[in-house]
């Protein structure tokens, strides 16, 4: 495992407009470098999920670009993209009969790394999921399964992790676990993009460097902030939005 | 390790049932006669073994394996434990295709040829699969998919009834007997075609086993891990449609094997990754089909009656067991 060979570069969202009739006209710009942690906030229907799917290359934009280093996300093949970016959805898998260890090994394969048992074991240890290695995903609680999915994303891509409300269905402890884990990956140089409604939990876990406020509508737009992610401030701007 | 043991046991069981089936039957043949007939191509004994028993046993093994693998692939793809060729309407589609060729074809003066039956079965199965592929995005719930299969079954059943009402007595009887399911009408053409398609399915499934496992994590997650959703969807629909149709063409609409077999293997085997389940599911399907066929040969109860009498209680038990043991 040679970290130097891994892809290093910025994630740049340039004059992006989303492909959704309610979100037309909202232009999004953001620029992140390794180690940055951006929180995406907005009211329900503001386009958080649509934006994340577009960043991941799973949905075409109306206009604009998402650049990973020198490459447009949409010029990469799905396999190539999977090595540079990973994605966590809000619902953990509930019908997957594979074990935690197999999940981590799948992520290594998706991330085009050779499956090295030692790497998988070390990664499970570092993510605090080693104790469940032989348990099946469909036998874990939502919180445990979601921790596995975050660990899965962290080993799949050593560059960018995109998470769509990963804590939405978790209890207080589960939330803190997952967010603390994200902070660790950010410290190790991942770019983290997180959409969430859990302002307090995210803020208290620290590590947020940027936040992006989505505000669709006629007079809408998006604002990219550096620093200053305070729950009170964010709540005040969200309150001012037309819901 | 555990999985290997199960596969070995299933392989052994398969061999036992295959040999018992090969060397026993209503014809009064001694062991030495049968053994000699196996190595010659002359005489009545040789005809019985090579033209009747062997193709029948091969067809039963392959059909059981094919339906079980189709069931496994469907349950994996739809993330629905109740998916299977007969549940999703694929078998109904095939039945309609065969009915159109055999009953409708006779009405317009065409013959009830084997090629026609195979064509009808494939066309029927794939039509349902294409329809399923087209509407699948609209199904938000797991039960909607099952209702789709049920409704396809009703619709095709209605058309089949209309065709039956207007059919000649001979064609009608042939169709009704075909509908009871049987491995007795096997021939080497059918065995060869099914063997090739099943082998291709095995190769495809092993090559895509990681994609299948990723798919179980959810469609979005799988796509973010590099899985090509479109090609996976069409591959699964084409493969499972072909398997179900070929079995239906030669053996009639065979019930329960596709739905129940993967579950029985999951009970025995702790790990549930698609790649790991493939071989045991294939073997279990073959063994169950041989057991069912053995019952058919020695009791004269039609195949689908045997499978339904055993299959329906098993599926009900599986449902109760599932709702008791684990939350969804």
């Amino acid at each position: 495992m040679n970290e130097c060979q891994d892809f290093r570069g910025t994630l740049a969202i340039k004059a992006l407009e989303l492909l959704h009739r309610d979100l037309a006209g909202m232009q999004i710009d953001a620029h992140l470098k390794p180690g940055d942690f951006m929180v995406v906030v907005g009211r329900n229907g503001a386009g958080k999920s649509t934006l994340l799917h577009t960043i991941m290359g799973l949905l075409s934009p109306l206009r604009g670009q998402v650049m990973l280093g020198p490459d447009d996300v949409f010029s990469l093949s799905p396999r190539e993209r999977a090595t540079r970016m990973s994605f966590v959805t809000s619902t953990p898998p509930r019908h997957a009969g594979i074990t935690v260890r197999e999940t981590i090994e799948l992520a290594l394969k998706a991330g085009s790394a050779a499956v090295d048992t030692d790497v998988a074991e070390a990664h499970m240890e570092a993510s605090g999921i080693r104790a469940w290695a032989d348990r099946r995903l469909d036998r874990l609680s939502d919180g445990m399964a979601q921790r596995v999915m975050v660990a899965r994303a962290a080993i799949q891509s050593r560059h960018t992790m995109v998470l769509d409300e990963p804590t939405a269905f978790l209890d207080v402890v589960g939330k803190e676990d997952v967010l603390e884990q994200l902070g660790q990956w950010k410290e190790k140089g991942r770019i983290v993009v997180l959409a969430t409604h859990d302002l307090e939990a995210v803020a208290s876990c620290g590590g947020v460097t940027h936040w992006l406020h989505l505000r669709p509508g006629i007079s809408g737009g998006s604002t990219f902030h550096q620093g200053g992610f305070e729950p009170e401030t964010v709540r005040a701007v969200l309150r001012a939005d037309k819901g | 390790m555990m999985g290997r043991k199960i596969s070995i046991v299933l392989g052994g069981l398969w061999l036992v049932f295959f040999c018992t089936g090969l060397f026993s039957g209503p014809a009064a043949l001694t062991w030495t006669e049968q053994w000699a007939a196996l190595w010659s191509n002359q005489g009545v004994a040789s005809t019985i073994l090579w033209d009747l028993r062997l193709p029948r046993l091969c067809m039963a093994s392959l059909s059981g394996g094919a339906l079980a693998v189709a069931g496994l692939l469907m349950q994996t793809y739809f993330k629905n434990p109740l998916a299977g060729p007969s549940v999703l309407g694929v078998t109904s589609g095939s039945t309609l295709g065969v009915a159109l060729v055999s009953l409708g074809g006779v009405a317009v003066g065409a013959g009830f040829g084997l090629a026609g039956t195979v064509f009808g079965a494939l066309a029927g199965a794939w039509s349902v699969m294409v329809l399923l592929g087209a509407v699948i995005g609209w199904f938000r719930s797991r039960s909607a998919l099952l209702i789709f299969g049920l409704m396809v079954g009703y619709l095709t059943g209605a058309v089949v009834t209309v065709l039956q009402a207007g059919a000649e007595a001979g064609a009608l009887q042939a169709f009704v007997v075909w509908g009871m399911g049987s491995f007795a009408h096997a021939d080497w053409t059918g065995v060869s075609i099914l063997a090739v398609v099943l082998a291709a399915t095995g190769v495809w499934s092993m090559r895509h086993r990681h994609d299948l496992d990723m798919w179980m994590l959810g469609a979005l997650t799988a796509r973010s891990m590099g899985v090509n959703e479109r090609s996976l969807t069409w591959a699964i629909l084409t493969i499972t449609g072909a398997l179900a149709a070929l079995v239906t063409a030669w053996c009639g609409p065979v019930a329960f094997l596709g739905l129940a077999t993967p579950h029985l293997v999951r009970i025995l085997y702790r790990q549930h990754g698609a790649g790991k389940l493939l071989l045991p599911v294939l073997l279990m399907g073959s063994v169950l089909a041989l057991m069912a066929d053995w019952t058919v040969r020695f009791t004269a109860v039609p195949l689908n009656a045997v499978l339904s009498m055993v299959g329906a209680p098993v599926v009900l038990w599986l449902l109760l067991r599932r709702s008791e043991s684990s939350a969804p």
Side-chain angles (χ1 to χ4, degrees), chain B residues 232-269:
Chain B
L232 184 77
T233 301
W234 288 109
I236 297 256
L237 295 181
T238 311
I239 289 172
T240 53
L243 290 172
L246 288 173
V247 174
T248 309
W250 267 277
C251 313
V254 177
F256 283 106
L257 281 176
L259 169 63
T261 312
H263 289 286
L264 293 174
V265 174
R266 285 194 192 99
I267 291 174
L268 293 174
Y269 191 18

Side-chain angles (χ1 to χ4, degrees), chain A residues 73 95 228-229 238 242:
Chain A
V73 161
H95 304 287
F229 183 74
L238 287 179
K242 290 189 187 73

Side-chain angles (χ1 to χ4, degrees), chain A residues 8-226:
Chain A
R8 285 267 161 275
T10 56
L11 170 67
I13 300 168
K14 293 179 179 169
L16 191 70
E17 282 185 47
L18 302 174
L19 191 63
H20 190 296
R21 68 192 143 87
D22 298 337
L23 305 173
M26 178 171 71
Q27 190 170 312
I28 304 163
D29 287 272
H31 192 90
L32 300 167
K33 56 184 193 309
D36 283 350
F37 187 145
M38 177 171 82
V39 178
V40 180
V41 295
R43 303 286 295 264
N44 284 333
K48 296 189 292 297
S49 292
T50 312
L51 170 65
L52 298 195
H53 295 173
T54 309
I55 293 177
M56 283 303 298
L58 302 177
L59 189 70
S60 305
L62 184 63
R63 283 184 201 89
Q65 283 180 312
V66 178
M67 302 294 290
L68 264 182
D71 305 302
D72 190 315
V73 161
F74 292 91
S75 71
L76 299 172
S77 74
R79 303 269 178 207
E80 251 179 313
R81 224 156 37 210
T83 67
R84 299 192 190 177
M85 312 173 91
S86 54
F87 188 52
V88 178
T89 59
S90 55
T91 21
R94 295 194 174 106
H95 304 287
I98 56 174
T99 63
V100 171
R101 180 178 284 113
E102 286 171 320
T103 309
I104 298 300
E105 288 176 356
L106 271 186
L108 283 167
K109 285 181 190 121
S112 77
V115 175
D116 182 328
T117 345
D118 293 340
V119 174
E121 295 298 318
H123 183 71
M124 286 191 288
E125 189 71 59
S127 315
I129 57 170
R130 176 83 189 279
W132 320 322
D134 292 313
R135 290 179 63 178
R136 269 173 29 207
L137 289 185
D138 57 0
R139 294 288 165 86
L140 298 178
S141 71
D142 279 359
M144 289 154 94
Q146 203 62 324
R147 276 190 74 131
V148 174
M149 291 316 274
V150 172
R152 189 266 312 158
I155 191 111
Q156 181 191 322
S157 150
R158 294 197 173 81
H159 185 257
T160 302
M161 294 169 70
V162 177
L163 306 96
D164 190 4
E165 300 190 42
T167 57
F169 295 104
L170 304 188
D171 60 22
V172 181
V173 180
K175 268 176 200 174
E176 284 173 0
D177 275 355
V178 164
L179 291 171
E180 183 215 303
Q181 220 188 332
L182 277 182
Q184 281 175 20
W185 297 119
K186 174 225 171 239
E187 290 304 317
K188 290 180 183 164
R190 305 287 199 285
I191 293 176
V192 178
V193 177
L194 170 76
T196 190
H197 290 293
D198 284 324
L199 303 179
E200 272 79 13
V202 173
S204 70
C205 286
V208 178
T209 57
H210 299 77
W211 56 289
L212 180 68
H213 173 207
L214 299 183
R215 196 163 22 91
I218 297 158
S219 59
S222 75
T223 332
F224 180 55
H225 301 264
Q226 185 154 9

